[in-house]
Amino acid sequence: MTKYIFLTGGVVSSVGKGVTTAALGKLMKERGFELSIQKLDPYINVDPGTMSPYQHGEVYVLDDGSETDLDLGHYERFTEARLSRVCNLTSGQIYSNVIAQERRGDFLGGTIQVIPHITNEIKARIREVGQVTGAELVLVEVGGTVGDIESLPFLEALRQMRSEIGRENSVFVHVTWLPYIGATGELKTKPTQHSVRELRSIGISPDVIVARSDYPVAESLREKIAQFCGVEPKAVIPVITTDILYEVPLRLEAQGLGDYLTHRLGLTATKTPDWSEWERLVAQERRDRPRVRVAIVGKYVELRDAYMSVREAVRHASLAVGVETELLWLHSAELEKGKGWEDLRRAHGIIVPGGFDHRGIEGKISAARYARESQIPYLGLCLGMQAMVIEFGRHVLGSEDTNSTEFDPHTPHPVIDLLPEQRGIGDKGGTMRLGLYPCDLVPGTAAQRAYGVPSIEERHRHRFEFNNTYREILAEHGMVYSGISPDGKLVEIAELADHPFMLGSQFHPEFLSRPNRPHPLFRAFIESVAERAEVKGRPAVERASHSEQRVES
Ligand code: GLN
């Protein structure tokens, strides 16, 4: 029988429920359990693929091409699981399924209602995770905050599930926030009490309270929360804000949460947790490292969540190379107006991440031009690769009208053009070239050196691609196609011969970077950035001495 850990959020949003879920996954994985993680999102969109990053942050793409919530990125990075479509469930999916069944006549004249039809569908989709993945333990995170109207059907479904499968097979973890009142210098538990009361009013009693706070939580406060919320004192887990994400599981472990959950679910660990690798990562992150600066030229830079995986991939690579990377967030549309160029010039490397639509594209192209002319390391991710090709095309062809047909449908030189199979597609949702595709690497190129293998598989999310009509002419001037689809038709990686590191990939390498396994392209880029900055980093593994590996919590 599959066992479940259900996570809900209370008091306010953005307290790190996704990271907490991912960290719990890590605790349980370290004990040898086969697990999977599912996110329930209460919005009516079928998936976040059609949402603006301003609304939703990054869209995280899985192997199977599903476009999912950015929390799935945390889950994959923390647990190293490769998740699938069933791991992100939205109200939109639930309702459209139930309505399709109704149209088919499956309900034989019945009135379709939230309870039981919607809640039954939710329960079936939660159970599907265990069935599809074979996981013995499934973590389910409910998006939003308890008290939201939208998430009520999800919570009701979880309440029903608990009474069906029993307390011994399910644990409710409630993640809350303890506000700090500056005037009196106190942390307050009242909002936590209220949100637990709210949860109780829908029939759910939490078993564990993870109390997030910016300040240390006194033992007396912990006891107070336990008393008022009806949980054991050892099941109240304070988690103080840390800027080191990968420290969260270590802190939860130090407070006994992994053992508590294992015991509570009647499970037997098959493995003793080994934290040495993560302790080394955290120690490396704490250590003073030579600093380098990387500019991220994007158009959603006000919202850092929009580039979550890029930021994490830079972090992983920096830890591995042994440098500390300061990110300079530059708005591509501002560069077009001549603003932000001093920052761009201060950077030792430039990343142009993915994006859609013409706004800000000229700023990205001019950042690519600057990188090429000034020999600054450049990493282009999807649209960033296309910007690099457009820029190089303008230079080689001597025509500023060179473009992608995404931005100028009538360009005389469409160096980037719609993928043939994309022609005639009208629907926006889930119709791009999505998910894992193989790519052959060309010997002797920077990409092949970085990966060190002959072929790879990477995650994609795009409609446009390199136009093969221009392969030859751009190659004659120094563009190298270092990654090609096995059928030879698609340029997946392009780089410049005459440059320390100027490389763009049509795929999104950031989705496959992991804390302990930095992505080869990000690593090669950061190495080149360190060279540009004339600093020598010392890698985590060589440097960590025993005493440095200890982590306070
Ligand atoms: N807009 C470009 C395309 O659709 C790039 C997409 C992206 O950066 N993810 O091909």
Side-chain angles (χ1 to χ4, degrees):
M1 171 155 204
T2 315
K3 312 231 176 195
Y4 293 90
I5 300 176
F6 299 125
L7 288 105
T8 54
V11 183
V12 284
S13 58
S14 307
V15 295
K17 183 154 48 74
V19 170
T20 306
T21 306
L24 277 189
K26 176 74 177 162
L27 292 187
M28 300 315 270
K29 192 188 161 227
E30 280 299 317
R31 287 170 165 72
F33 301 121
E34 288 295 328
L35 60 90
S36 191
I37 312 186
Q38 184 184 43
K39 172 92 192 271
L40 309 181
D41 276 312
Y43 50 72
I44 309 290
N45 302 58
V46 170
D47 62 42
T50 53
M51 276 189 243
S52 156
Y54 284 129
Q55 297 275 317
H56 188 268
E58 167 184 278
V59 175
Y60 188 77
V61 180
L62 304 181
D63 285 347
D64 64 10
S66 38
E67 298 171 280
T68 70
D69 185 76
L70 58 77
D71 279 333
L72 275 83
H74 292 311
Y75 305 164
E76 285 203 337
R77 285 188 284 271
F78 277 68
T79 68
E80 295 200 50
R82 301 286 279 246
L83 302 177
S84 77
R85 195 167 294 283
V86 295
C87 298
N88 196 185
L89 182 60
T90 67
S91 296
Q93 291 169 25
I94 296 291
Y95 277 90
S96 62
N97 265 359
V98 172
I99 291 169
Q101 291 164 36
E102 185 271 335
R103 292 288 86 182
R104 276 202 309 268
D106 291 2
F107 297 114
L108 298 173
T111 305
I112 315 308
Q113 294 176 303
V114 172
I115 303 172
H117 301 95
I118 295 296
T119 47
N120 282 350
E121 179 73 15
I122 295 172
K123 286 188 290 180
R125 297 289 296 274
I126 293 174
R127 291 209 165 93
E128 197 184 0
V129 178
Q131 290 153 7
V132 169
T133 63
E136 58 186 324
L137 178 64
V138 176
L139 281 71
V140 181
E141 178 191 348
V142 187
T145 309
V146 169
D148 297 346
I149 291 174
E150 292 90 347
S151 55
L152 277 176
F154 285 124
L155 295 173
E156 168 59 16
L158 298 188
R159 185 196 67 77
Q160 292 176 14
M161 256 184 103
R162 158 164 279 189
S163 50
E164 288 160 19
I165 62 177
R167 246 189 124 241
E168 62 284 10
N169 294 315
S170 58
V171 180
F172 274 94
V173 177
H174 191 49
V175 184
T176 74
W177 176 249
L178 305 179
Y180 179 79
I181 307 294
T184 54
E186 287 175 291
L187 284 172
K188 291 298 194 185
T189 66
K190 190 77 82 194
T192 296
Q193 298 174 36
H194 279 300
S195 86
V196 169
R197 193 173 303 157
E198 181 84 39
L199 204 51
R200 285 244 173 81
S201 73
I202 34 186
I204 295 172
S205 295
D207 305 284
V208 174
I209 307 275
V210 172
R212 288 270 301 101
S213 126
D214 279 340
Y215 297 88
V217 178
E219 195 49 40
S220 57
L221 219 60
R222 187 173 176 163
E223 277 160 19
K224 188 171 171 188
I225 296 172
Q227 195 174 27
F228 277 97
C229 300
V231 300
E232 297 178 74
K234 64 177 173 198
V236 176
I237 314 287
V239 179
I240 301 162
T241 308
T242 167
D243 52 354
I244 303 180
L245 215 55
Y246 302 115
E247 197 176 14
V248 177
L250 302 179
R251 292 187 177 191
L252 295 177
E253 180 71 275
Q255 301 194 70
L257 187 54
D259 288 342
Y260 184 83
L261 292 173
T262 307
H263 174 75
R264 185 50 194 72
L265 287 168
L267 291 164
T268 312
T270 58
K271 188 173 158 276
T272 312
D274 174 6
W275 293 104
S276 52
E277 192 176 46
W278 277 46
E279 284 171 354
R280 254 198 317 273
L281 286 172
V282 171
Q284 171 79 326
E285 191 142 6
R286 280 249 168 76
R287 194 171 292 138
D288 246 351
R289 288 161 286 153
R291 286 175 81 89
V292 298
R293 286 183 296 273
V294 167
I296 301 212
V297 181
K299 66 177 188 180
Y300 312 107
V301 290
E302 309 87 314
L303 187 79
R304 306 286 152 87
D305 277 6
Y307 301 110
M308 179 71 81
S309 294
V310 176
R311 201 170 63 184
E312 290 307 307
V314 169
R315 189 201 301 260
H316 307 154
S318 306
L319 289 173
V321 174
V323 295
E324 182 171 354
T325 303
E326 181 191 349
L327 294 176
L328 310 171
W329 297 90
L330 304 184
H331 206 300
S332 53
E334 296 290 302
L335 290 181
E336 289 170 11
K337 294 183 217 148
K339 292 186 205 149
W341 282 90
E342 317 81 71
D343 274 336
L344 194 66
R345 285 192 201 97
R346 283 173 60 227
H348 306 113
I350 297 171
I351 293 178
V352 176
F356 297 85
D357 204 34
H358 70 279
R359 182 172 70 93
I361 183 65
E362 287 302 322
K364 295 181 181 185
I365 294 170
S366 38
R369 171 156 305 172
Y370 168 71
R372 177 176 59 80
E373 289 175 349
S374 310
Q375 303 271 297
I376 312 273
Y378 176 98
L379 181 62
L381 310 171
C382 201
L383 181 63
M385 178 259 206
Q386 299 176 356
M388 165 183 153
V389 171
I390 296 168
E391 191 288 309
F392 196 67
R394 287 182 185 179
H395 164 68
V396 168
L397 304 166
S399 162
E400 285 301 301
D401 292 330
T402 305
N403 217 326
S404 161
T405 49
E406 182 179 9
F407 315 122
D408 177 5
H410 308 296
T411 167
H413 299 296
V415 288
I416 303 290
D417 199 5
L418 204 59
L419 282 153
E421 64 267 28
Q422 286 288 326
R423 292 186 205 284
I425 289 181
D427 277 4
K428 291 276 183 268
T431 55
M432 283 186 249
R433 179 171 181 247
L434 286 165
L436 215 55
Y437 283 92
C439 166
D440 293 338
L441 299 173
V442 177
T445 59
Q448 205 277 327
R449 272 196 302 282
Y451 280 102
V453 291
S455 65
I456 51 165
E457 284 191 313
E458 293 278 3
R459 293 180 181 173
H460 295 67
R461 182 172 187 248
H462 63 115
R463 290 186 204 282
F464 293 80
E465 58 148 355
F466 188 100
N467 181 347
N468 289 327
T469 316
Y470 294 90
R471 261 204 216 183
E472 216 175 294
I473 171 110
L474 297 192
E476 277 164 19
H477 290 82
M479 183 161 268
V480 177
Y481 310 112
S482 44
I484 305 282
S485 62
D487 64 5
K489 287 190 181 145
L490 300 178
V491 172
E492 302 281 34
I493 311 176
E495 55 188 65
L496 291 191
D498 222 5
H499 196 284
F501 189 94
M502 186 146 186
L503 182 150
S505 66
Q506 189 54 82
F507 49 81
H508 289 270
E510 66 272 24
F511 293 143
L512 290 182
S513 184
R514 300 291 173 260
N516 49 351
R517 279 184 295 113
H519 192 282
L521 294 182
F522 276 87
R523 187 187 187 129
F525 168 69
I526 293 293
E527 274 165 1
S528 164
V529 166
E531 240 164 72
R532 170 89 194 177
E534 296 179 348
V535 300
K536 184 121 189 64
R538 276 183 286 168
V541 182
E542 281 166 30
R543 259 193 92 176
S545 73
H546 188 67
S547 64
E548 282 170 318
Q549 285 175 18
R550 264 208 318 268
V551 173
E552 311 100 61
S553 53

